[in-house]
């Protein structure tokens, strides 16, 4: 006898995962801290933006470096993302002073930190934990003073930014955060967007000039910077009208390690190859089917698909609203009209389901039209 | 909202919200983050969550919104780094039912794991709807409010999901039950 799917799903999905008491404790502590910080931020907001440069303190040291403006401190930003370990590293660091304004955005480099296992969250790259990492915290505000969109707003991400360390002598188009196991987290507080960006540790290249680029775009923006192949130096493209900040990173040259640098370059090549393989698997046959599903709506169905007349049938709902559909293979399936269809849409085609096996010619779209007499006209469409 | 009020909300909705976060993210770390951020964001957006007004839908809608946004933020990271995969298990279930033999309990546990894995394989837009409908027991209208899509779309996604699950769980659906 057939069992009831709804019953099976309800039983299997009954909420059973309890949050750990430590997690709840951490949450309550964060709520307390946030309450405290909100008070501080209100005061900070009264300080005019022009006071920014005066409020910064210069300082360079090893380990970590951060800025002393009334933005969130880098340790607070790290803790925003639940990384207390990294926050402690920033907290014990020194201060940095660098703000650049390009393309309508004021970019402040708040701090950098690097080292082995200094974060609570270490990524695994190609099966290996990459523990030796470089972190930077950047604040981005609009030059005209309008707030940056909140991460939960639909506007967020419409202006993407790319943040990456770059190394003198290595073409930035090839050697940047994307190819060096990079990633970032973002949050917006009081109209300021904070980014915690990370990638594998670049300190081993400290015997040459090291930079941090912050430009518009999702990936490295070739038009924003110039790479001098003769000297290996990287500079801002002055004629670029978008955002193209470029900071020199104050990293102790004594941290350079040629052997480690060579090993890192090998890794970068491996990561690049690995990523290409991933990209290959992401393209291919599924692309066209996904595109098809994306463009499919009741309004476009007649232009991009055609009905299979042999599947057309008129169904009469039972007392509970269920209809039975006969398949070409003789099998029967059913659906509940009240649950699946918008019953106010009389005479209009509605998509009730669809399936594909990864190729366009395997796509099937189940449609239904509710007639004025209460019956349902069902037909399967396939791509034209 | 005071800490006492937050504690009360955690006690009332914590388990349901956390289960939802675990099933949505597939990762303990991301679930922990999403769970905390949901409460913090909810506090930020609405200074007072009135537990008498049943804010479950509100918390779930904050979680869905944060998750959608977070996926965007972490998309780049995902392409490069392998995520720690959360091996879904049916936690918190121990054999305590006097009327059920240990064998029956074990079979039920395995069945639940298979069902959860099938749900996990659904496309995300269908999975969210299934979790809200079967796990959180929200109505179609409530889900439409949480996910901010028309009710008709909720129904259609639910139908598509049920159809896929029906296919995937055929063995379980036609299995002979105990007794």
């Amino acid at each position: 006898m057939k069992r009831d799917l709804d019953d099976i799903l309800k039983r299997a999905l009954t909420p059973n995962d309890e949050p750990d008491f430590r997690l709840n404790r951490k949450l309550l502590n964060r709520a307390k801290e946030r309450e405290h910080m909100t008070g501080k931020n209100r005061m900070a907001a009264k300080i005019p933006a022009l006071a920014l440069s005066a409020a910064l303190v210069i300082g360079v040291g090893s380990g970590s470096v951060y800025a002393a403006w009334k933005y969130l401190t880098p340790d607070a930003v790290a803790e925003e993302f639940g990384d207390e370990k990294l926050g402690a590293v920033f907290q014990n660091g020194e201060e940095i002073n660098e703000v650049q304004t390009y393309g309508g955005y004021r970019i402040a480099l708040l701090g950098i930190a690097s080292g082995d296992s200094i974060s609570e969250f270490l990524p695994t790259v190609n099966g290996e934990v990459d523990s030796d990492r470089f972190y930077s915290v950047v604040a981005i505000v609009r030059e005209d003073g309008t707030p940056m969109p909140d991460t939960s707003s639909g506007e967020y991400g419409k202006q993407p930014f790319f943040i990456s360390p770059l190394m003198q002598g290595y073409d930035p188009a090839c050697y940047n955060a994307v190819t060096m196991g990079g990633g970032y987290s973002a949050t917006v507080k009081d109209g300021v967007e904070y980014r915690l960006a990370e990638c594998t540790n670049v300190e081993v290249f400290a015997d040459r000039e090291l930079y941090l680029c912050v430009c518009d775009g999702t990936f490295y923006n070739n038009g924003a910077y110039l790479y001098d192949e003769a000297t290996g130096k990287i500079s801002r493209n002055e004629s670029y009208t978008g955002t193209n900040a470029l900071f020199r990173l104050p990293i102790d040259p004594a941290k350079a390690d040629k052997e480690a640098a060579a090993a890192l370059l090998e890794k970068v090549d491996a990561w690049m190859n690995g990523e290409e393989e991933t990209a290959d698997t992401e393209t291919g046959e599924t692309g066209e089917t996904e595109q098809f599903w994306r463009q499919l709506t009741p309004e476009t169905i007649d232009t991009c698909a055609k009905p299979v007349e042999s599947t057309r049938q008129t169904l009469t709902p039972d007392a509970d609203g269920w209809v039975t559909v006969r398949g070409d293979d003789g099998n029967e399936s059913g659906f509940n009209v009240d649950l699946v269809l918008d019953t106010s849409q009389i005479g209009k085609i509605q998509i009730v389901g669809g399936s594909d096996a990864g190729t366009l010619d395997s796509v099937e779209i189940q449609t239904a039209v509710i007639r004025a007499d209460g019956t349902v006209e069902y037909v399967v469409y396939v791509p034209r | 909202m005071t800490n006492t009020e937050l504690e009360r909300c955690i006690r009332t909705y914590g388990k349901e919200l956390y289960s939802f976060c675990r099933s949505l993210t597939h990762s303990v770390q991301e679930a922990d983050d999403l769970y905390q951020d949901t409460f913090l964001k909810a506090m930020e957006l609405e200074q007072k969550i009135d537990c008498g007004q049943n804010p479950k839908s509100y918390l779930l809608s904050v979680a869905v919104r944060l998750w959608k946004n977070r996926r965007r933020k972490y998309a780049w990271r995902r392409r490069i780094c392998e995520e720690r995969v959360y091996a879904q298990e049916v936690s918190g279930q121990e054999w305590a039912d006097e009327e059920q033999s240990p064998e029956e309990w074990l079979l039920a546990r395995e069945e639940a794991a298979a069902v959860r894995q099938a749900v996990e394989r659904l496309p995300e837009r269908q999975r969210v709807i299934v979790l809200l409908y079967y796990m959180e027991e929200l109505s179609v209208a409530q889900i439409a409010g949480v996910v901010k899509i028309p009710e008709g779309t909720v129904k259609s996604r639910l139908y598509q999901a049920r159809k896929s699950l029906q296919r995937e769980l055929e063995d379980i659906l036609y299995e002979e039950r105990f007794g």
Side-chain angles (χ1 to χ4, degrees):
Chain A
M1 196 182 114
K2 190 174 175 185
R3 295 168 58 200
D4 183 44
L5 179 66
D6 288 336
D7 181 49
I8 288 172
L9 283 167
K10 267 187 188 156
R11 275 205 276 168
L13 295 176
T14 300
N16 275 320
D17 292 311
E18 290 268 13
D20 188 90
F21 75 94
R22 281 173 294 243
L23 179 64
N24 282 337
R25 183 57 44 210
K26 193 172 166 188
L27 167 60
L28 289 165
N29 286 340
R30 283 181 68 190
K32 253 191 242 168
E33 278 168 26
R34 178 129 348 169
E35 200 174 36
H36 181 59
M37 275 168 58
T38 309
K40 279 200 290 190
N41 288 344
R42 275 198 206 106
M43 283 173 65
K46 290 178 188 162
I47 300 170
L50 282 175
L52 175 66
S53 55
L56 296 168
V57 180
I58 302 170
V60 174
S62 59
S64 72
V65 187
Y66 68 83
W69 168 238
K70 301 297 182 190
Y71 290 115
L72 288 184
T73 54
D75 56 293
V77 175
E79 283 166 21
E80 254 323 288
F81 298 114
D83 200 338
E84 284 168 14
K85 197 172 174 184
L86 182 61
V89 175
F90 275 119
Q91 208 163 33
N92 295 322
E94 296 177 44
E95 297 160 351
I96 201 169
N97 173 15
E98 185 106 43
V99 177
Q100 298 183 10
T101 304
Y102 297 110
Y105 291 91
R106 183 176 293 136
I107 318 288
L109 171 59
L110 300 179
I112 57 171
S114 43
D116 196 10
S117 300
I118 60 172
S119 164
E120 289 178 33
F121 312 111
L122 299 173
T124 303
V125 182
N126 288 350
E128 282 175 38
V129 174
D130 186 37
S131 60
D132 198 5
R133 308 280 287 170
F134 169 84
Y135 301 88
S136 59
V137 175
V138 164
I140 304 170
V141 293
R142 285 194 176 123
E143 199 182 2
D144 64 8
T146 54
M148 296 293 283
D150 193 86
T151 51
S152 57
S153 108
E155 286 302 300
Y156 177 79
K158 286 192 175 168
Q159 171 57 70
F161 292 100
F162 177 74
I163 301 174
S164 170
L166 306 175
M167 296 98 69
Q168 179 191 6
Y170 294 99
D171 187 344
C174 299
Y175 297 93
N176 57 55
V178 169
T179 56
M180 295 191 291
Y184 74 91
S185 303
T187 186
V188 174
K189 299 278 157 204
D190 296 333
V192 181
E193 179 169 341
Y194 294 93
R195 291 276 185 111
L196 172 63
E198 60 170 287
C199 67
T200 199
N201 197 348
V202 292
E203 270 184 346
V204 291
F205 295 98
D207 55 348
R208 49 188 75 218
E209 289 183 5
L210 292 175
Y211 317 84
L212 188 84
C213 78
V214 182
C215 58
D216 39 28
T218 307
F219 297 101
Y220 177 74
N221 182 339
N222 245 331
Y225 302 97
L226 303 172
Y227 175 58
D228 184 332
E229 287 191 3
T231 63
K233 292 199 175 190
I234 297 161
S235 57
R236 291 183 50 254
N237 180 357
E238 299 287 348
S239 60
Y240 185 72
T241 53
T243 302
N244 61 345
L246 189 68
F247 301 92
R248 277 287 298 278
L249 293 175
I251 295 179
D252 184 357
K255 293 197 169 175
D257 181 336
K258 284 192 191 306
E259 273 183 30
L264 170 57
L265 293 173
E266 263 182 44
K267 263 194 199 174
V268 169
D269 290 341
W271 287 346
M272 284 169 82
N273 294 337
E275 196 185 344
E276 275 162 18
E277 280 167 24
T278 309
D280 286 344
T281 59
E282 282 173 0
T283 56
E285 287 187 328
T286 54
E288 59 180 4
T289 53
E290 281 190 8
Q291 201 179 350
F292 178 83
W293 286 118
R294 267 201 297 275
Q295 64 171 14
L296 183 74
T297 63
E299 290 73 34
T300 62
I301 193 165
D302 277 318
T303 52
C304 60
K306 57 185 178 195
V308 179
E309 288 307 325
S310 62
T311 63
R312 194 180 292 277
Q313 46 202 292
T314 300
L315 313 170
T316 306
D318 68 14
D320 297 322
W322 286 91
V323 289
T324 304
V325 180
R326 293 179 315 281
D328 285 343
D329 51 6
N331 285 337
E332 290 185 344
S333 60
F335 63 88
N336 189 300
V337 173
D338 296 328
L339 182 67
V340 173
L341 300 178
D342 182 349
T343 47
S344 66
Q345 299 287 310
I346 307 293
K348 286 190 180 169
I349 190 162
Q350 297 185 50
I351 296 168
V352 295
S355 62
D356 73 74
T359 55
L360 201 53
D361 58 10
S362 65
V363 168
E364 282 187 5
I365 312 127
Q366 290 92 39
T367 68
V369 175
I370 301 178
R371 297 290 177 211
D373 61 3
T375 59
V376 173
E377 190 176 331
Y378 172 93
V379 66
V380 172
Y381 275 70
V382 294
R384 281 187 189 274
Chain B
M1 180 197 268
T2 63
N3 261 24
T4 319
E5 284 168 334
L6 176 61
E7 274 189 78
R8 195 164 58 235
C9 267
I10 290 172
R11 263 201 314 276
T12 316
Y13 303 107
K15 188 173 169 181
E16 283 166 313
L17 180 65
Y18 189 70
S19 291
F20 180 70
C21 293
R22 285 281 291 260
S23 296
L24 196 62
T25 62
H26 296 169
S27 145
V28 176
Q29 183 57 55
E30 285 189 23
D32 285 2
D33 288 351
L34 184 60
Y35 171 78
Q36 291 185 78
D37 290 349
T38 299
F39 273 114
L40 294 173
K41 193 72 185 172
M43 285 173 73
E44 196 179 300
L45 295 173
E46 199 171 76
Q47 285 298 306
K48 186 173 170 63
I49 295 178
D50 181 357
C51 285
Q53 294 284 313
N54 189 354
K56 186 168 130 182
S57 295
Y58 173 66
L59 288 169
L60 290 168
S61 82
V62 173
V64 168
R65 211 152 36 130
L66 284 175
W67 175 241
K68 273 161 109 176
N69 180 51
R70 194 163 295 200
R71 269 188 313 150
R72 195 162 49 209
K73 280 193 292 179
Y74 283 96
W76 173 32
R77 186 194 287 265
R78 274 230 177 75
R79 289 189 58 209
I80 301 160
C81 311
E82 285 175 18
E83 289 285 313
R84 275 173 295 175
V85 176
Y86 160 50
Q88 189 92 34
E89 58 180 31
V90 185
S91 56
Q93 288 184 0
E94 285 175 18
W95 178 55
D97 189 344
E98 297 281 319
E99 290 176 11
Q100 203 179 30
S101 72
E103 291 76 20
E104 286 171 344
W105 173 81
L106 195 66
L107 282 171
R109 195 173 183 274
E110 279 175 2
E111 175 183 299
V115 173
R116 291 178 83 137
Q117 277 164 15
V119 171
E120 227 177 84
R121 285 192 291 271
L122 289 173
E124 183 156 309
R125 57 187 191 164
Q126 290 176 19
R127 187 156 48 91
V128 171
I129 306 294
V130 166
L131 292 174
L132 291 171
Y133 190 75
Y134 292 103
M135 178 180 273
E136 303 299 336
E137 297 190 318
L138 300 190
S139 68
V140 168
Q142 283 172 321
I143 295 172
V146 165
V147 188
K148 299 194 169 34
I149 53 175
E151 282 186 39
T153 312
V154 174
K155 289 175 185 172
S156 149
R157 287 185 191 173
L158 200 51
Y159 171 76
Q160 288 167 25
R162 288 180 91 261
K163 202 176 168 202
S164 305
L165 291 169
Q166 199 126 27
R167 242 191 340 258
E168 285 240 2
L169 300 172
E170 206 168 344
D171 290 348
I172 291 176
L173 285 167
Y174 286 96
E175 191 178 77
E176 281 299 317
R177 296 301 287 164
F178 324 112

